C-alpha cells in the first residue's frame, strides 16, 4: 500500500478518507474531510447558489464545460495517488472548488439533457 494512502480509507470511509495530514485544522483539530473534499463540497454548494441567482438554460456545451472543470481535480488526485508528485492542501482545496462547480454543472445538465 502506498505511503500516501490513508489507512482510514481502507476501513470504510467512502465519502472521504479524512487523513489528518490532508485536512485543514481548526485550533489544531483536523476537519473530518480532507482539503480536496472540502473544496468539492464548497464548490458544489456555491454552484447551487449561483444557479438560484442566474437560472440559465442547460445544453451539451455547458455539460462539456462542467466536464472540463473536473479535469484539474482528477489530474491532481491521480498524480498524487501514483506518487508522481506530492500535492499540498492549498492546491487540493482550489482544484476541489473548481471540480465541485464542474460536478454541479454536470449533474444539473444531465437532468435537463435527458
Amino acid at each position: 500500500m502506498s505511503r500516501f494512502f490513508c489507512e482510514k480509507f481502507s476501513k470504510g470511509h467512502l465519502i472521504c478518507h479524512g487523513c489528518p495530514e490532508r485536512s485543514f485544522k481548526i485550533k489544531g483539530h483536523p476537519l473530518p474531510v480532507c482539503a480536496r473534499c472540502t473544496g468539492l463540497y464548497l464548490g458544489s454548494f456555491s454552484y447551487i447558489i449561483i444557479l438560484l441567482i442566474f437560472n440559465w438554460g442547460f445544453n451539451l456545451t455547458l455539460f462539456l464545460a462542467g466536464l472540463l472543470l473536473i479535469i484539474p481535480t482528477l489530474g491532481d488526485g491521480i498524480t498524487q495517488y501514483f506518487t508522481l508528485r506530492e500535492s499540498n492542501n492549498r492546491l487540493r482545496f482550489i482544484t476541489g472548488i473548481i471540480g465541485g462547480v464542474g460536478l454541479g454543472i454536470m449533474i444539473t445538465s444531465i437532468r435537463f439533457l435527458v
Side-chain angles (χ1 to χ4, degrees):
M1 199 178 287
S2 168
R3 68 183 176 102
F4 298 108
F5 190 74
C6 186
E7 186 178 317
K8 284 183 174 182
F9 191 70
S10 63
K11 292 182 181 177
H13 290 88
L14 296 176
I15 295 173
C16 178
H17 54 71
C19 291
E21 64 273 5
R22 294 185 185 168
S23 301
F24 290 123
K25 294 174 180 54
I26 297 176
K27 295 185 178 182
H29 299 286
L31 294 176
V33 293
C34 70
R36 185 174 293 123
C37 289
T38 301
L40 282 166
Y41 298 143
L42 184 63
S44 297
F45 181 72
S46 299
Y47 178 71
I48 291 170
I49 292 173
I50 291 168
L51 185 61
L52 291 172
I53 296 170
F54 305 103
N55 191 9
W56 55 73
F58 293 93
N59 54 34
L60 184 59
T61 304
L62 193 59
F63 177 81
L64 294 175
L67 188 63
L68 287 174
L69 288 172
I70 293 174
I71 292 173
T73 307
L74 290 174
D76 182 43
I78 289 170
T79 57
Q80 181 179 344
Y81 179 78
F82 288 109
T83 63
L84 299 174
R85 63 179 188 77
E86 179 64 25
S87 187
N88 59 50
N89 284 348
R90 181 178 294 165
L91 182 59
R92 289 182 191 114
F93 181 68
I94 291 169
T95 58
I97 288 176
I98 294 167
V101 171
L103 190 61
I105 289 171
M106 287 181 59
I107 291 170
T108 52
S109 295
I110 289 172
R111 191 180 92 202
F112 288 101
L113 291 174
V114 176

